[in-house]
Amino acid sequence: MPKNLCLGIDIGGTRIKVATVDPKGVIFEESIIDTNVNAKPINVLKDIIDVAKKFKSYSKIKNVGVGIAGDVCFETGIVRFSPNLKKWKNVKVKEILTKLTRKKVYVDNDANIAAIGAFWLEGKGKSIDLVCITLGTGVGGGLIFDKKLYRGVSGTAGELGHVTIDAYGKKCNCGNRGCIETFVGARHLSEFVQDYLKDNNSKMIDKLTNKNYKLITPQLLTQAAKSGDRVAKEIWKIVGQKLGVFLSIIINFSNPDTIVLCGGISHAKEYFMKYILLEIKTRAFKSATKACKIVVSKYASNLGVVGAALLSRQ
């Protein structure tokens, strides 16, 4: 049995992943359970620990790490709010789990734990400065500077989805305008496609949606592109260009050695990556660009639980 195992808990709106993880990010035991969004948070946490206690290695675990989407105070371990879990308001996760496990507990938001997971799984713990960007319903980010997670003064560092790339663009949920999230976040992308189709006809998208454009998702758009649909490919080109502008800002500002892309939209990389690279070549400093590796994560499903488990190392 590996030594120094940690317990990782990745709490999502649909599923919860629980795993024991070694210091290098290798999963030893794991289990997935459905998220009961209607249950009281304390009952959900009890169910999670009941599952964890069935692991052969549970008694050897000293540290527990938890990741959850939302507004999380790392120092107190309180989940102030989670958009996918309406009952999770001001939940003292650290306090509850400490009592349930009698182990050291760490709690952080999903973007930060994904960055830690990317550091160990994609960067093999050797990357110095790594930026992890989650491309899903929204756009999230996590920053690893000098091999450590960077949270900023008030803990909000890494809100990369709200970097402005168009000062007079569409209003974002955060109150700002022209955030990168308003261009490539899944919900905003769907709305953009619906507008785009008013002036551009796509027989394939019409077929896949039966002309109910509210059904458009990034997955459907990828499916259309795979079939050779011109309009779908044009839209992914635009996505690539916007991401290229965004990543150029990240490269010029933070000069990372690695940028890791993950999340559902990253699966369409074959249709937008070349446009990202073209924009970066035009906009970012050459030396910084040459030093930066951009990858789409091969470990997307494990970034969260591994990052949560290794929170204690941060």
Side-chain angles (χ1 to χ4, degrees):
M1 184 179 296
K3 296 181 179 180
N4 302 318
L5 290 172
C6 297
L7 182 69
I9 302 169
D10 183 12
I11 302 175
T14 304
R15 299 187 311 163
I16 299 168
K17 192 164 189 175
V18 189
T20 52
V21 180
D22 78 6
K24 292 186 178 180
V26 177
I27 292 175
F28 184 60
E29 295 177 275
E30 65 181 319
S31 184
I32 297 174
I33 59 177
D34 293 333
T35 305
N36 187 345
V37 296
N38 297 314
K40 292 181 179 180
I42 190 169
N43 292 332
V44 173
L45 293 171
K46 285 180 179 178
D47 289 344
I48 291 170
I49 299 307
D50 285 343
V51 169
K53 285 181 176 178
K54 294 177 182 178
F55 291 154
K56 296 176 182 177
S57 56
Y58 181 78
S59 63
K60 305 292 184 182
I61 292 166
K62 293 183 178 180
N63 298 312
V64 178
V66 184
I68 185 169
D71 183 3
V72 180
C73 177
F74 173 75
E75 292 183 354
T76 64
I78 293 175
V79 176
R80 301 187 189 102
F81 169 73
S82 179
N84 297 321
L85 301 167
K86 302 303 182 184
K87 293 192 176 184
W88 290 62
K89 293 181 180 179
N90 296 314
V91 180
K92 298 178 180 179
V93 174
K94 182 177 180 178
E95 181 180 310
I96 293 168
L97 288 180
T98 299
K99 290 178 180 178
L100 289 173
T101 65
R102 299 185 182 277
K103 301 176 190 292
K104 188 75 173 177
V105 178
Y106 302 83
V107 187
D108 213 329
N109 69 53
D110 60 334
N112 281 345
I113 65 167
I116 297 169
F119 173 75
W120 289 106
L121 295 178
E122 294 290 347
K124 308 302 180 187
K126 297 178 181 179
S127 179
I128 305 298
D129 298 304
L130 178 148
V131 177
C132 181
I133 299 168
T134 55
L135 302 170
T137 302
V139 176
L143 309 172
I144 302 289
F145 292 157
D146 197 20
K147 294 197 170 189
K148 291 290 183 182
L149 181 67
Y150 181 75
R151 294 187 175 88
V153 174
S154 63
T156 62
E159 288 290 348
L160 301 180
H162 305 292
V163 169
T164 301
I165 63 168
D166 181 354
Y168 304 100
K170 183 179 178 182
K171 191 169 184 179
C172 182
N173 291 339
C174 73
N176 190 14
R177 287 190 177 275
C179 299
I180 183 62
E181 184 170 301
T182 66
F183 292 96
V184 302
R187 183 175 64 81
H188 291 288
L189 179 58
S190 177
E191 292 172 355
F192 170 74
V193 176
Q194 291 175 52
D195 288 337
Y196 195 82
L197 290 172
K198 292 176 182 178
D199 300 313
N200 299 272
N201 297 320
S202 166
K203 291 182 179 179
M204 180 53 63
I205 294 177
D206 285 352
K207 180 181 178 181
L208 292 172
T209 63
N210 198 25
K211 294 189 177 182
N212 181 1
Y213 297 148
K214 291 183 178 180
L215 298 177
I216 291 171
T217 63
Q219 292 81 4
L220 185 143
L221 197 61
T222 301
Q223 186 178 348
K226 284 183 178 179
S227 71
D229 184 71
R230 176 185 58 82
V231 171
K233 288 183 177 180
E234 287 174 356
I235 293 167
W236 282 124
K237 177 181 179 179
I238 294 169
V239 168
Q241 290 170 333
K242 298 300 183 184
L243 281 172
V245 173
F246 167 60
L247 294 185
S248 296
I249 295 171
I250 300 302
I251 290 170
N252 285 343
F253 174 73
S254 61
N255 191 198
D257 55 64
T258 308
I259 293 177
V260 178
L261 304 179
C262 58
I265 286 176
S266 69
H267 298 155
K269 64 178 181 178
E270 63 183 293
Y271 302 108
F272 63 66
M273 187 59 76
K274 66 179 179 181
Y275 302 109
I276 285 179
L277 298 178
L278 283 171
E279 289 295 330
I280 289 174
K281 184 178 180 180
T282 302
R283 299 172 184 275
F285 289 136
K286 290 182 179 179
S287 60
T289 299
K290 186 176 180 180
C292 182
K293 177 174 64 175
I294 300 174
V295 299
V296 173
S297 179
K298 303 186 294 292
Y299 305 95
S301 63
N302 290 333
L303 292 183
V305 76
V306 169
L310 298 181
L311 261 174
S312 61
R313 303 195 67 180
Q314 294 296 314

